[in-house]
Structure formats: C-alpha cells, structure tokens
Amino acid sequence: MVQSDRRNGAEHAVGTRYREVLQLDRLLACQPETKSHDELMFVIVHQVHELWFKLMLFELEEVRDLLLDGRLGAAEHLLRRLVAVEHVLLSQWAVLDTMLPVDFLAFRKTLEGGSGFQSVQYREIEFLAGLKDAGYLDRVPLTDAERERLARRLEEPSVREAFVALVERRGLASLADLWQHGYHDQPAAHWELLRVAEALLDVDQAFGRWRTHHALTVERQIGYKRGTGGSAGVDYLRTLVASHLFPELWEVRSRL
C-alpha cells in the first residue's frame, strides 16, 4: 500500500526520491544539446532567473494581499525574502561576465528573435509591484495566455496601490504625510508602516542594482549593438535604470 508524506503541505509517496520530488529528469532536459560551454551557461543563467522570477511573483502576490489585510509584520518578512532573492539574481551576472564577447558572438545568432525583453514573468513582477505599462502588450509578440496574464496584472491591485491604500486607512492623507509624521512628529505611532516602507525601498533598490548590472553585462558583451529581440539593446536597458517600482517612496525624500 502506498503511504503519503504530507509534511509542510507537500504530498509525496513514502520513499519518493530526490530526483522525483524536484522533477530533475524534466528540469535537466530543458537545456540545449551543445558543445559550447558559454551557450550552456548562458541558457542556464536565464532559466534560473525565470525560476526565481516565479518565486518573486508568488511572494509579491502574498505581500499585496497582506497589505490589503493590514498584516504589516508578515508583509515585511516576505519583502526581506524578496530582497534576498534579488541579491541572488544580482550575483548571477558575475557568472555571465566570465564570458568573452567573441564566445557570445559564436552562438548569438541562435538567439535571434528571442530576448530577455520578452520575459513575461519579468513584466508581471513590474506590473504586480506597481510599475504598470499597458503599452508593453503591443510592443512584443505574446501568446493569448501571456496577454491574458499581463492584462490581469494591469487590472488587479498592485503592491504599490495596496500600500498607499493602507497608509490612507491608517488616517494619513498620503505617503508624504507618513514621512512627515513618521520621521518627525510621531515615529512610534507609525513605526510598522515605516518599516514596511523601508522594506519596499530595499526591494526597489535591489531591483535597480540588478537592472544596472544587466545593462553593464550587455554592454560588456555586445557594446551598443541592437538587442536580439528587436530592442535598442544597452540604450533601452539604460532607460530602465532610472525607473522605480515605488516612485513615491523616493520622491518624498526630497521633502523631508
């Protein structure tokens, strides 16, 4: 008789092996058959990015819902996890930086038509965090399922909107008021809100560092050539560096 192990919400047959739990046969079959060390490394780094993006979306959804429910401590905890994930993502650029430009050019043509610019999960992260850009849906080829996912993210509340609504429910007119009363007048009364605000900034700052290193890594490999997915390459990536997921939290610092 097959028994089940349901610890931690998981359900596996007793005796299930590591390989089966992680579905390693499927996972390790997702890389190309190639003799190029650099091509295999390039693909794996980007696949790992998408896995971490999946976790980030999972956590951002919960953060949004926790903020809507006013559960600040739990939201801050997951925001700290998101920062840790972003630091892992940032460290992966160092692996790509070991590749010589000539080695990248050797397989770059196999990427024509495909680019990180087309990562739907990356756009979902931006939309869910609060940086919504409906125009993106018209700039890249999307499947019906991808278009539906992004449209849903545009319509549903973002983390940014959930936090602003929470600040208002706590009797403050705006984030500027939170900064004024929290840092100057009544810090103890708004300490939980301020901690979450700072955690949101940590997430945004780490995301900005990731974008910056992304642009530098691309420039290191191809200079100012156009991107493989039709984007402007480094010029496009540099326009993203200055954008923020939570712009109000940066703007209010000029008013302190």
Side-chain angles (χ1 to χ4, degrees):
M1 185 169 111
V2 176
Q3 296 178 322
S4 294
D5 181 357
R6 302 192 181 194
R7 289 170 295 181
N8 300 320
E11 183 173 349
H12 304 293
V14 173
T16 300
R17 289 176 291 181
Y18 175 82
R19 184 186 74 244
E20 295 160 342
V21 172
L22 298 184
Q23 300 187 54
L24 288 181
D25 290 341
R26 293 177 61 192
L27 180 64
L28 299 179
C30 293
Q31 293 74 47
E33 293 290 337
T34 178
K35 293 183 179 180
S36 168
H37 294 270
D38 296 279
E39 182 179 9
L40 181 60
M41 178 269 291
F42 182 91
V43 170
I44 287 175
V45 166
H46 285 80
Q47 287 179 335
V48 171
H49 262 75
E50 292 293 334
L51 288 173
W52 284 119
F53 286 168
K54 183 174 182 177
L55 178 61
M56 290 179 70
L57 285 168
F58 191 64
E59 305 296 12
L60 280 169
E61 284 184 341
E62 183 68 4
V63 168
R64 186 264 318 277
D65 293 344
L66 289 169
L67 292 176
L68 290 173
D69 289 341
R71 298 172 59 191
L72 295 176
E76 183 190 355
H77 171 70
L78 291 183
L79 287 169
R80 298 300 175 195
R81 176 177 295 171
L82 282 162
V83 173
V85 170
E86 289 174 320
H87 288 167
V88 172
L89 287 171
L90 182 60
S91 70
Q92 290 186 73
W93 294 125
V95 182
L96 280 172
D97 288 344
T98 65
M99 180 169 57
L100 296 175
V102 67
D103 293 324
F104 178 54
L105 292 175
F107 67 87
R108 187 176 186 239
K109 287 185 178 180
T110 66
L111 306 174
E112 289 298 337
S115 169
F117 174 71
Q118 299 164 353
S119 171
V120 172
Q121 286 199 120
Y122 173 84
R123 296 300 166 178
E124 283 189 271
I125 289 170
E126 288 191 331
F127 292 3
L128 181 54
L131 187 60
K132 296 183 177 182
D133 177 13
Y136 176 79
L137 276 67
D138 299 320
R139 293 199 295 272
V140 296
L142 298 168
T143 66
D144 290 342
E146 289 171 337
R147 186 173 297 277
E148 182 179 343
R149 280 166 52 193
L150 290 174
R152 177 170 59 85
R153 296 297 186 192
L154 288 170
E155 293 173 1
E156 68 186 14
S158 67
V159 171
R160 174 183 175 187
E161 291 163 341
F163 185 68
V164 170
L166 177 61
V167 168
E168 293 173 353
R169 290 202 308 273
R170 294 292 178 96
L172 298 167
S174 66
L175 292 182
D177 277 356
L178 170 61
W179 251 244
Q180 177 64 34
H181 295 297
Y183 280 118
H184 292 297
D185 303 334
Q186 300 172 306
H190 304 292
W191 183 235
E192 282 188 310
L193 282 172
L194 288 172
R195 284 180 62 91
V196 171
E198 291 297 316
L200 288 168
L201 273 169
D202 288 340
V203 169
D204 204 347
Q205 185 168 300
F207 207 55
R209 288 172 177 159
W210 181 87
R211 285 174 170 149
T212 298
H213 206 144
H214 184 192
L216 289 170
T217 294
V218 171
E219 183 178 1
R220 179 173 180 156
Q221 296 300 330
I222 65 170
Y224 283 82
K225 297 175 183 176
R226 290 190 63 81
T228 51
S231 74
V234 172
D235 284 334
Y236 165 72
L237 294 175
R238 291 200 183 283
T239 66
L240 301 179
V241 170
S243 62
H244 292 304
L245 300 175
F246 312 111
E248 296 92 344
L249 295 179
W250 297 91
E251 292 167 5
V252 293
R253 277 159 160 71
S254 301
R255 306 174 192 173
L256 289 177

